[in-house]
Amino acid sequence: MNGAIERYLADLDRRLAVPARYRRRVLAEAGDHLADSAAALESGGRSGDEADAEAVRRFDPGRRLAGDINAGWASAQARRAPAWAFVAGVGVLAAAVAAIPAVPSDAAAGGAPVVAAAALMASVGLQLAVVAGAVALLRVAGRRSAPVLGSADRSLVWRAARIGVGATAVAALGLLGVAAEQAHRSGSGPGRVVAAGLGMLAVLAAAGGRLRRPLPTGDAGGLDVGDPDVEVGEPGGIEDSGPAVRLSRRSPGAGERLARAGESLVTIVRSWPGAATALVAGLSAWGAYAHAEASRPGSLLTAAVETAAVVVFARVFGPALELLPGAAPPDGSS
Amino acid sequence: MRGMRPEQLKGHLDPLLLAVLEAGPAHGYGLIESLRDRSGGVFDLGESTVYPALHRLERSGLVKSESVTVSGRPRRVYRLTRSGNRALAEQRGDWRSFCRAVGAVLGPLAASGVVPA
């Protein structure tokens, strides 16, 4: 290979934003392709240098390959993000179930403030984790048949998954607080609580590590299909020519249609943010009050704290999860 | 005949690649050549566009790749999976429905002068 192909591959290597193994594969395939193409051109009568330059021109005339590869990889990673948030949630709950029932059931009698506060932290954290996880899952499921997730969808899925894991970590602290307090009261020792804590930490670290990867920068490439809901002919459509049938997008299945129906509900929430927040806060308060009154004092305080938590979370996380109008925080992607 | 613009192929490349692989395993360069030959030169797109599509199809389980030796050199070759066969059959059906609908509106190819009667 002469300079033209080597320069192209060096530029491609610099612009790829994918893991090392996948990068090596892309560069190898590109190099092999260019070698074949140059050989064919040379056998057709061109000089070596001309053949190499022409091979590069035919291979990637718009220098879009790096962007397309990056977009495809980012899309695949974003589609896995809800799964990691789910793993974190299940892992934390499993560790909590393993730790807390080891304590005698009457250890919570008396409604110690520390236990109540820890339980509230766990409850609020889990609720936020479920909402964030549902947002991420609905977006991924609702775009299942699209070849590539658009950049706006990827951003939302990453944000929601990170919020979900963060909220799960808060819930984990609450659950460990409940377990520790009850273990202390019953005198059963810290062994199970420590083990549960280590298990939660491992699961959260694994999920957090997977979701820590920054979003790729740079353009999405020529084949980013953008928003798959934008049909040909609509203003801002990414395809302004070609047939209306988008064969690369498979027909949406039942799960995808259900997810889109769920997102339609979110659209309704966004149209009535105040009413939606008040409704959720009211339901949450009623649930907390009904549960608290059954076994613990301070039921009104618990309900008030739940209500305040819902309102605060709606204001803080609502725009980031695109549940409420407002600007989502910058996430480092361009 | 003027080649189709790359933008016009957006959204349709996947089934075309699956159809070419139906004939047998191939590497990227071979796929591009087959696509060009079978379309009579109409599908003459930037050659690198097949690779993001192939990688996407592989993640979806519609194709599978492996490293084999071709002419003494290791090459990554792609082949259709059973899921890919099913997806191709489904997309062929979609395309035939689309063509029938368009043909019903535009009229037969002979009447429209596209091919001799």
Side-chain angles (χ1 to χ4, degrees):
Chain A
M1 292 181 209
N2 84 339
I5 293 179
E6 283 173 352
R7 280 196 304 272
Y8 172 79
L9 291 175
D11 180 57
L12 179 63
D13 188 13
R14 186 179 52 80
R15 295 169 63 204
L16 284 172
V18 297
R21 189 175 170 186
Y22 186 35
R23 174 194 300 266
R24 283 194 296 271
R25 171 182 168 174
V26 170
L27 291 170
E29 284 190 284
D32 290 338
H33 187 121
L34 286 165
D36 285 345
S37 180
L41 288 163
E42 210 169 333
S43 67
R46 302 210 192 198
S47 70
D49 289 351
E50 286 173 351
D52 289 352
E54 178 64 11
V56 170
R57 191 197 67 76
R58 291 184 181 190
F59 184 70
D60 194 5
R63 292 295 194 266
R64 287 178 162 174
L65 177 60
D68 292 341
I69 292 289
N70 292 342
W73 177 258
S75 175
Q77 291 298 97
R79 283 189 158 131
R80 291 190 199 112
W84 283 104
F86 178 73
V87 163
V90 167
V92 162
L93 284 176
V97 165
I100 295 176
V103 178
S105 59
D106 60 356
V114 173
V115 175
L120 200 55
M121 180 189 278
S123 168
V124 167
L126 282 173
Q127 286 175 58
L128 179 59
V130 167
V131 169
V135 165
L137 187 61
L138 280 179
R139 184 55 60 100
V140 168
R143 305 289 186 273
R144 191 177 160 78
S145 63
V148 173
L149 273 184
S151 55
D153 292 332
R154 293 198 301 266
S155 292
L156 172 63
V157 170
W158 278 104
R159 274 200 309 275
R162 284 169 177 161
I163 289 171
V165 171
T168 302
V170 170
L173 286 175
L175 290 166
L176 284 175
V178 171
E181 175 65 17
Q182 293 184 351
H184 172 69
R185 283 174 172 273
S186 69
S188 62
R192 278 182 183 263
V193 177
V194 171
L198 289 174
M200 289 179 186
L201 188 63
V203 164
L204 287 168
R210 281 287 181 170
L211 297 175
R212 177 180 52 85
R213 187 196 311 275
L215 292 173
T217 58
D219 70 293
L223 285 181
D224 184 5
V225 296
D227 184 351
D229 285 332
V230 176
E231 297 295 340
V232 172
E234 282 190 24
I238 52 95
E239 289 189 5
D240 58 6
S241 61
V245 174
R246 299 173 64 144
L247 294 184
S248 278
R249 185 181 178 184
R250 301 191 294 273
S251 302
E256 183 170 347
R257 285 195 287 268
L258 198 62
R260 292 204 175 205
E263 289 194 300
S264 299
L265 287 177
V266 172
T267 305
I268 294 173
V269 168
R270 285 174 61 88
S271 303
W272 303 90
T277 304
L279 177 65
V280 172
L283 287 173
S284 187
W286 174 74
Y289 182 85
H291 174 73
E293 190 168 34
S295 61
R296 296 198 299 268
S299 55
L300 280 179
L301 179 62
T302 303
V305 172
E306 283 269 359
T307 304
V310 169
V311 172
V312 167
F313 284 164
R315 292 205 54 140
V316 172
F317 296 109
L321 295 173
E322 296 185 14
L323 293 173
L324 295 178
D331 51 19
S333 65
S334 61
Chain B
M1 180 189 299
R2 190 171 56 126
M4 185 176 278
R5 284 176 292 155
E7 304 83 61
Q8 290 175 298
L9 269 182
K10 261 198 243 185
H12 310 294
L13 187 55
D14 289 4
L16 294 174
L17 292 176
L18 294 178
V20 172
L21 284 173
E22 192 183 32
H27 50 61
Y29 183 74
L31 275 168
I32 278 287
E33 292 282 288
S34 295
L35 204 55
R36 190 180 297 130
D37 292 343
R38 283 172 61 165
S39 68
V42 172
F43 297 152
D44 189 14
L45 63 166
E47 295 173 359
S48 63
T49 53
V50 294
Y51 292 102
L54 286 169
H55 298 173
R56 182 174 63 245
L57 290 171
E58 189 169 19
R59 285 187 206 109
S60 303
L62 303 184
V63 304
K64 196 171 164 62
S65 73
E66 57 187 347
S67 187
V68 301
T69 303
V70 177
S71 304
R73 289 169 46 214
R75 300 296 300 273
R76 184 166 288 270
V77 168
Y78 296 84
R79 61 175 174 81
L80 208 57
T81 62
R82 283 188 192 168
S83 300
N85 261 313
R86 284 195 293 271
L88 178 59
E90 183 186 317
Q91 294 189 9
R92 274 196 174 115
D94 290 345
W95 180 251
R96 287 188 185 116
S97 300
F98 174 74
C99 287
R100 271 197 296 274
V102 171
V105 174
L106 293 182
L109 289 176
S112 59
V114 175
V115 295

